[in-house]
């Protein structure tokens, strides 16, 4: 059964492209034009169905550029911001699977495997960074997805506010974070900006603790998550999860901006960008442009979460959490794969990620965008490893429930042990497509 992969707000439906409609499993236009007794190439239409309205202009830019490469290929782009997953499942069930569609990565790579072309031996797969390729691969090692972007997940901090409070380097341990909170408040600075109205910010925080818990247990994060999904693991057996994670959330609520359950993503960005708080929780590289629009002079830093008393467990996490899929039964799968091979390997494509989409490229040997967070990430990763994107090992059906349970916890409607019990139950019921 296909699982819900993301919660999308709003009700905006954008249809962009040269043709109207997002029809079935693609196709070629029946008509061929003749000139001087010679047949021209068939006009090929590729139907794309995605849930990323923030990249509308960037997608249209590469569609226009590809016309120069393949004038006979038309790309019809439909972007839906509300009920995307419901509509996608409806299209698949009716036999109208788009030529290209979007899902989350990780567990959903397997969920949609039966509808996805195998890209393992394509140039685009070889071009991916190792971390991204892993995020796009099924449990049997096949590359079944391709990302729009790489990403980084971290605590984001205001360098000037930390300096003002006498904090010379970002805190890496629990004790250092507690000390930082004391120093910030002594200067009248609120430590944390939270967007706890959103269910998805919770998974971005929690996965840092999952990685540390797995490390302490001497297993891979994927194995630990699998054990929770199978009902074989208990949160109480992992102090980083049972104690440290909840203590950190308590700290951010007590020493954060007012009414955290009323603060959505935009409000959290606004609070941070306007200098109302030193740290922003649950967010990542995608927020930089929004921050800079509010305060172009803000000096942004990124850091791992201080998950324990071990400084080396405080790391940023990188990888890809969203995937485009090519319908394996599409009549134009060959042309679609050819298009994405071009995007991932051409000089235009290498620069498209950083200069047009302004995202962290998911491919090797591509320039980074002219943004602070990706550049700082590059510097940090010269001497440190990034963490595992363990959020990918559970479906978003679980993560949404997890966020709702954490909202109940900080509202006081549920104590910690009640929340833990419900989280464990949700992991078994919703964590996997099996």
């Amino acid at each position: 059964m296909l699982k819900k992969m993301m919660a999308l707000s709003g009700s905006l439906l954008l249809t962009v492209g040269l043709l109207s409609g997002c029809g079935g499993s693609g196709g070629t236009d029946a008509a061929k034009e003749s000139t001087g007794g010679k047949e021209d190439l068939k006009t090929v239409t590729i139907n794309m169905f995605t849930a990323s309205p923030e990249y509308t202009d960037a997608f249209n830019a590469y569609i226009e550029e590809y016309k120069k490469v393949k004038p006979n290929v038309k790309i019809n782009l439909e972007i839906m911001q509300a009920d995307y997953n419901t509509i996608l499942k409806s299209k698949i069930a009716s036999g109208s699977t788009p030529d290209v569609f979007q899902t989350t990565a990780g567990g959903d790579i397997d969920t949609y495997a039966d509808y996805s072309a195998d890209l393992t031996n394509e140039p685009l797969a070889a071009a991916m960074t190792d971390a991204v390729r892993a995020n796009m691969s099924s449990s049997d090692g096949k590359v079944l997805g391709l990302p729009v972007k790489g990403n980084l997940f971290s605590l984001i901090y205001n360098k000037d506010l930390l300096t003002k409070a006498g904090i010379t380097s970002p805190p890496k341990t629990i004790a250092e974070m507690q000390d930082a909170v004391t120093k910030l408040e002594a200067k009248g600075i609120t430590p944390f900006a939270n967007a706890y109205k959103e269910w998805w910010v919770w998974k971005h925080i929690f996965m840092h603790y999952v990685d540390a818990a797995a490390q302490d247990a001497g297993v891979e994060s994927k194995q630990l998550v699998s054990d929770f999904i199978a009902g074989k693991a208990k949160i109480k057996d992992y102090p980083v999860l049972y104690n440290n994670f909840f203590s950190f959330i308590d700290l951010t609520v007590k020493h954060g901006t007012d009414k955290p359950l009323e603060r959505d993503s935009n409000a959290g960005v606004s609070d941070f960008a306007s200098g109302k708080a030193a740290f922003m929780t649950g967010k990542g590289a995608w927020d930089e442009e929004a921050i800079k629009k509010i305060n172009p002079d803000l000096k942004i830093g990124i850091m791992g979460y201080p998950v324990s008393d071990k400084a080396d467990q405080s790391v940023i996490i990188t990888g890809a959490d969203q995937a485009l899929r090519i319908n394996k039964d599409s009549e134009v799968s060959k042309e679609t794969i050819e298009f994405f091979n071009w995007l991932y390997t051409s000089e235009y494509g290498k620069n498209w990620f950083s200069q047009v989409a302004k995202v962290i490229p998911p491919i090797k040997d591509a320039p980074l965008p002219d943004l602070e967070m990706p550049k700082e990430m590059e510097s940090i990763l010269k001497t440190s490893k990034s963490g595992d994107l363990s959020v990918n090992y559970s479906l978003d059906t679980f993560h949404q429930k997890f966020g709702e349970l954490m909202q109940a916890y900080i509202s006081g409607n549920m104590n910690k042990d009640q929340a833990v019990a419900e989280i464990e139950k949700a992991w078994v019921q919703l964590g996997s497509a099996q």
Side-chain angles (χ1 to χ4, degrees):
M1 179 179 178
L2 301 180
K3 294 286 188 176
K4 186 167 183 179
M5 62 187 173
M6 63 183 71
L8 297 163
S9 60
S11 58
L12 174 65
L13 174 60
L14 296 173
T15 304
V16 189
L18 297 169
L19 301 178
S20 62
C22 182
S25 55
T28 51
D29 291 348
K32 296 180 184 178
E33 298 177 357
S34 296
T35 305
K38 294 183 179 179
E39 280 191 327
D40 291 338
L41 289 173
K42 285 183 180 179
T43 298
V44 173
T45 299
I46 298 172
N47 291 312
M48 290 182 60
F49 184 50
T50 82
S52 298
E54 65 271 29
Y55 299 118
T56 301
D57 291 342
F59 287 163
N60 278 326
Y62 70 45
I63 288 171
E64 287 300 311
E65 185 67 21
Y66 198 59
K67 285 182 188 177
K68 302 173 186 177
V69 179
K70 295 284 185 179
N72 65 306
V73 176
K74 296 182 179 181
I75 300 174
N76 187 38
L77 176 64
E78 184 179 6
I79 302 179
M80 178 168 282
Q81 195 177 5
D83 296 324
Y84 171 84
N85 197 51
T86 301
I87 300 301
L88 173 62
K89 288 190 289 185
S90 175
K91 287 177 180 289
I92 292 174
S94 67
S96 300
T97 307
D99 304 310
V100 182
F101 58 96
Q102 181 175 329
T103 75
T104 49
D108 270 334
I109 294 294
D110 283 332
T111 304
Y112 291 86
D114 290 344
Y115 310 97
S116 303
D118 185 354
L119 307 173
T120 308
N121 297 317
E122 295 296 334
L124 64 86
M128 293 179 192
T129 64
D130 292 342
V132 165
R133 182 176 172 125
N135 299 149
M136 297 296 113
S137 297
S138 60
S139 55
D140 59 1
K142 294 179 181 178
V143 177
L144 300 180
L146 53 106
V148 172
K149 60 181 178 178
N151 224 331
L152 70 87
F153 305 84
S154 69
L155 264 176
I156 301 171
Y157 65 94
N158 182 321
K159 291 182 176 180
D160 287 339
L161 290 184
L162 264 63
T163 299
K164 181 179 178 180
I167 302 166
T168 57
S169 60
K172 291 182 175 294
T173 66
I174 292 172
E176 289 174 357
M177 177 56 85
Q178 291 171 334
D179 181 61
V181 167
T182 300
K183 289 178 177 178
L184 287 165
E185 291 187 331
K187 293 291 185 179
I189 301 167
T190 299
F192 300 101
N194 307 306
Y196 289 161
K197 183 178 180 179
E198 309 283 6
W199 66 265
W200 49 265
V201 302
W202 297 96
K203 66 179 182 177
H204 294 160
I205 302 171
F206 188 57
M207 66 178 169
H208 291 262
Y209 291 82
V210 170
D211 282 359
Q215 185 182 55
D216 288 346
V219 299
E220 297 292 329
S221 298
K222 187 172 186 177
Q223 182 60 55
L224 179 58
V225 172
S226 294
D227 288 344
F228 276 111
I229 291 172
K232 296 190 292 187
K234 296 295 180 183
I235 289 174
K236 272 193 174 182
D237 294 333
Y238 299 89
V240 169
L241 301 180
Y242 184 72
N243 297 322
N244 301 5
F245 169 69
F246 281 91
S247 294
F248 177 75
I249 296 303
D250 292 343
L251 186 75
T252 65
V253 172
K254 183 177 180 180
H255 302 279
T257 44
D258 292 338
K259 300 179 179 178
L261 289 176
E262 297 179 18
R263 309 305 285 167
D264 64 9
S265 179
N266 290 335
V269 167
S270 178
D271 290 340
F272 178 76
S274 58
K276 292 181 180 179
F279 299 99
M280 183 164 64
T281 60
K283 309 302 281 303
W286 60 90
D287 286 310
E288 181 165 344
E289 286 201 284
I291 293 168
K292 290 295 189 177
K293 283 180 181 177
I294 297 171
N295 185 355
D297 299 322
L298 193 150
K299 296 176 183 175
I300 301 172
I302 59 172
M303 56 179 279
Y305 285 77
V307 296
S308 67
D309 59 0
K310 302 173 185 176
D312 63 354
Q313 289 188 328
S314 178
V315 296
I316 62 171
I317 288 176
T318 62
D321 58 335
Q322 295 291 318
L324 295 178
R325 319 293 283 268
I326 297 173
N327 175 10
K328 69 179 180 62
D329 296 320
S330 165
E331 295 177 14
V332 293
S333 60
K334 178 181 176 182
E335 291 86 352
T336 305
I337 291 171
E338 185 177 5
F339 163 64
F340 282 108
N341 277 331
W342 166 81
L343 183 65
Y344 272 60
T345 61
S346 68
E347 286 305 309
Y348 173 84
K350 289 180 180 179
N351 288 290
W352 176 84
F353 291 103
S354 58
Q355 296 178 14
V356 181
K358 295 183 180 180
V359 297
I360 298 170
I363 57 176
K364 305 167 188 172
D365 304 321
L368 287 171
D370 187 23
L371 298 170
E372 288 182 47
M373 284 196 269
K375 289 181 176 178
E376 188 156 341
M377 176 197 74
E378 183 179 41
S379 176
I380 289 170
L381 294 183
K382 287 178 180 178
T383 56
S384 303
K385 291 183 177 180
S386 64
D388 188 9
L389 192 59
S390 54
V391 68
N392 275 349
Y393 303 134
S394 306
L395 300 184
D396 263 0
T397 44
F398 162 72
H399 292 305
Q400 182 168 353
K401 184 64 174 180
F402 174 80
E404 293 166 358
L405 292 169
M406 290 305 302
Q407 288 165 342
Y409 168 73
I410 67 169
S411 71
N413 291 327
M414 191 175 287
N415 64 36
K416 182 169 79 170
D417 285 335
Q418 289 171 328
V420 163
E422 290 300 315
I423 289 168
E424 289 171 349
K425 186 188 302 181
W427 229 332
V428 172
Q429 294 175 342
L430 304 172
S432 169
Q434 302 301 319

